[in-house]
Amino acid sequence: MKETALEQTAKIETELIAFRRLLHSEPELSENEFKTQDKVIVKLEEYGIPYRKVGKTSTIATIKGKNPGKTVALRADIDALPINEDLNLDFQSNNPGVMHACGHDAHTTMAMGAAKILNESKENFDGEIRIFFQEAEETFEGAKKIVADGGMVGVDAVFGMHNYNTIPTGSFYSGAGDLFSGCDTVYVTFTGKSGHGGTPQLGKDSFTPAAQFALDLQEIIAKNVDSRNPVVLNVGRFASGKKANIVPKETTMDISMRYFDEESRDLTHAAIKRHAKAFADMYEITVDVTIEPSTPPTKNDAALAKIATNAGTKVFGSNKVSEFPRAMNSEDFSYYLKEAPGVYGIIGIYNEEKNTIHAPHDDHYELDEDILKLGVAWHVEFALEFLGTESN
């Protein structure tokens, strides 16, 4: 009897864990994942899988089936975060201040395991499978580079996944519709005139209008945005002044904006500019507002969501489909969705016994390594089902 994908991945679980721990011990920041790329390439060459380097540190592996057919892309991100790891692992980060606090080491491992298994069975399916080992997800730059270098040309569907601590290990989600919000970064600069702190009337203070504007941002959400189409504004950086006795000439802030609905996005952009100008005019100073799009919303294609869920039930079980309400996190996977339909899955890591309970970007974050074989099998099942081949 033919082995299932999960039975195949269970046989390489020890290898998967070792590779994940190797990646975890040497995390690298976005667009600097040179050693990580080297590790990926060593494995691909070991497995005899053709590849090409793209972007700055990304790699695309290609597996061609017996005959031409459809093309499916599987995506894994490879970068880490500027966080100092506060754990005590045997495979602790060797790079101070850098940590795989989002599980990208696991994503890379799962895609690599899938590449191995799919390559070994390439005579059993038609079509092409591409595996993206993508740099710079955390800065929303990596997916754009793979697209720019032709990675999505001819792709009919794209699949990716992320581990999450809000659902238990052994469960998954891959439903249709909105999953993650879009993200813009708003840079605001209020400019006045410096002066002596003892004679503020001779200067033009930039701090006070900027501070009032920062507090007023939430009024935009409350009074201008339809509550059924949520928008989140967060002032993540606020800088003003040089010394206590100097009227601050310039005050700057960086605002992260999250949204799902394009109309609400446009409305909020206009309101931010309007409110900023009103506060600047009130204090007779100037203001500049620059809006930088970061990534569009991630929305799962309905037909592919059905394939992903069917593939997931083969791996996890039909009673392991979890709920996952749409979230205000953002993902540059959405850039692939501008090129082809796709689906992004969620794989649970919550396990109190193993203390894998912390959210991504936490310095105590750790994942349940039981997901590695599950994630590999889910990649395999999705790819084969989309290409029209049953694994069992």
Side-chain angles (χ1 to χ4, degrees):
M1 185 175 178
K2 192 175 181 180
E3 287 184 314
T4 67
L6 185 57
E7 287 170 339
Q8 290 175 293
T9 60
K11 289 182 176 180
I12 61 170
E13 184 174 19
T14 300
E15 182 180 350
L16 296 172
I17 291 172
F19 186 59
R20 181 257 162 167
R21 292 184 177 187
L22 176 63
L23 296 173
H24 190 90
S25 67
E26 293 191 275
E28 296 174 297
L29 296 177
S30 301
E31 298 185 71
N32 288 283
E33 311 96 326
F34 298 103
K35 291 182 179 179
T36 303
Q37 184 185 49
D38 289 343
K39 293 180 179 70
V40 166
I41 289 172
V42 165
K43 275 293 183 185
L44 292 174
E45 291 181 345
E46 176 187 335
Y47 299 153
I49 301 174
Y51 67 87
R52 66 184 177 101
K53 295 181 179 181
V54 296
K56 189 175 181 181
T57 55
S58 298
T59 307
I60 299 178
T62 302
I63 302 168
K64 292 189 177 182
K66 189 175 182 179
N67 299 300
K70 294 184 289 186
T71 297
V72 61
L74 308 176
R75 180 274 206 152
D77 35 21
I78 67 173
D79 53 333
L81 287 157
I83 295 174
N84 194 58
E85 190 166 11
D86 191 11
L87 295 169
N88 186 26
L89 304 172
D90 293 337
F91 49 96
Q92 189 89 352
S93 169
N94 292 322
N95 296 334
V98 184
M99 176 189 177
H100 267 299
C102 206
H104 295 185
D105 50 344
H107 301 166
T108 303
T109 299
M110 293 187 291
M112 184 62 74
K116 174 180 170 64
I117 290 172
L118 290 165
N119 188 58
E120 291 173 349
S121 61
K122 61 187 175 184
E123 292 300 315
N124 298 324
F125 64 82
D126 295 335
E128 180 179 321
I129 300 169
R130 295 179 198 167
I131 301 96
F132 300 158
F133 296 96
Q134 180 210 302
E135 66 192 277
E137 186 279 327
E138 296 293 352
T139 58
F140 302 137
E141 293 298 323
K144 289 186 287 186
K145 293 183 179 184
I146 286 181
V147 171
D149 281 350
M152 286 293 291
V153 173
V155 170
D156 298 296
V158 58
F159 175 71
M161 69 175 71
H162 203 295
N163 70 94
Y164 238 84
N165 71 314
T166 57
I167 61 176
T169 299
S171 63
F172 76 100
Y173 173 85
S174 51
D178 290 334
L179 184 68
F180 291 131
S181 71
C183 178
D184 295 329
T185 304
V186 184
Y187 301 96
V188 183
T189 301
F190 287 86
T191 304
K193 181 178 181 296
S194 60
H196 196 287
T199 54
Q201 74 278 10
L202 302 179
K204 294 291 183 183
D205 177 31
S206 67
F207 172 83
T208 300
Q212 291 178 339
F213 167 73
L215 294 173
D216 178 70
L217 284 171
Q218 303 313 316
E219 294 302 315
I220 293 175
I221 303 302
K223 302 301 181 184
N224 294 119
V225 177
D226 187 333
S227 60
R228 295 169 295 182
N229 297 313
V231 173
V232 171
L233 294 173
N234 179 71
V235 180
R237 191 190 69 84
F238 189 103
S240 183
K242 302 290 186 182
K243 200 171 183 288
N245 63 349
I246 301 174
V247 173
K249 177 180 179 178
E250 185 176 275
T251 299
T252 61
M253 71 186 78
D254 299 347
I255 305 164
S256 174
M257 174 180 161
R258 311 286 172 139
Y259 67 94
F260 287 103
D261 177 70
E262 289 291 334
E263 184 176 347
S264 292
R265 178 196 188 207
D266 294 341
L267 181 153
T268 304
H269 285 179
I272 287 172
K273 293 175 181 178
R274 185 174 67 251
H275 284 227
K277 185 178 186 302
F279 280 104
D281 288 347
M282 192 167 20
Y283 285 84
E284 301 177 296
I285 64 173
T286 61
V287 65
D288 176 76
V289 177
T290 300
I291 300 175
E292 179 181 277
S294 294
T295 185
T298 298
K299 186 171 184 175
N300 285 341
D301 177 79
L304 293 178
K306 289 181 181 178
I307 293 176
T309 300
N310 187 55
T313 58
K314 292 181 181 179
V315 176
F316 300 87
S318 58
N319 62 337
K320 295 297 184 179
V321 180
S322 286
E323 292 297 321
F324 190 85
R326 65 179 186 172
M328 284 299 186
N329 308 66
S330 299
E331 244 292 345
D332 77 346
F333 184 84
S334 57
Y335 282 106
Y336 300 125
L337 301 180
K338 296 178 73 173
E339 308 296 321
V343 57
Y344 197 71
I346 303 298
I347 184 167
I349 63 166
Y350 188 91
N351 187 332
E352 292 184 359
E353 291 182 2
K354 295 185 179 181
N355 199 36
T356 57
I357 61 175
H358 299 285
H361 297 215
D362 188 313
D363 61 4
H364 287 83
Y365 168 87
E366 171 59 333
L367 57 83
D368 186 345
E369 290 179 324
D370 284 350
I371 73 167
L372 298 178
K373 62 179 181 293
L374 297 170
V376 171
W378 196 10
H379 279 90
V380 171
E381 291 283 8
F382 177 85
L384 293 179
E385 186 163 336
F386 177 76
L387 296 177
T389 303
E390 291 292 331
S391 68
N392 52 22

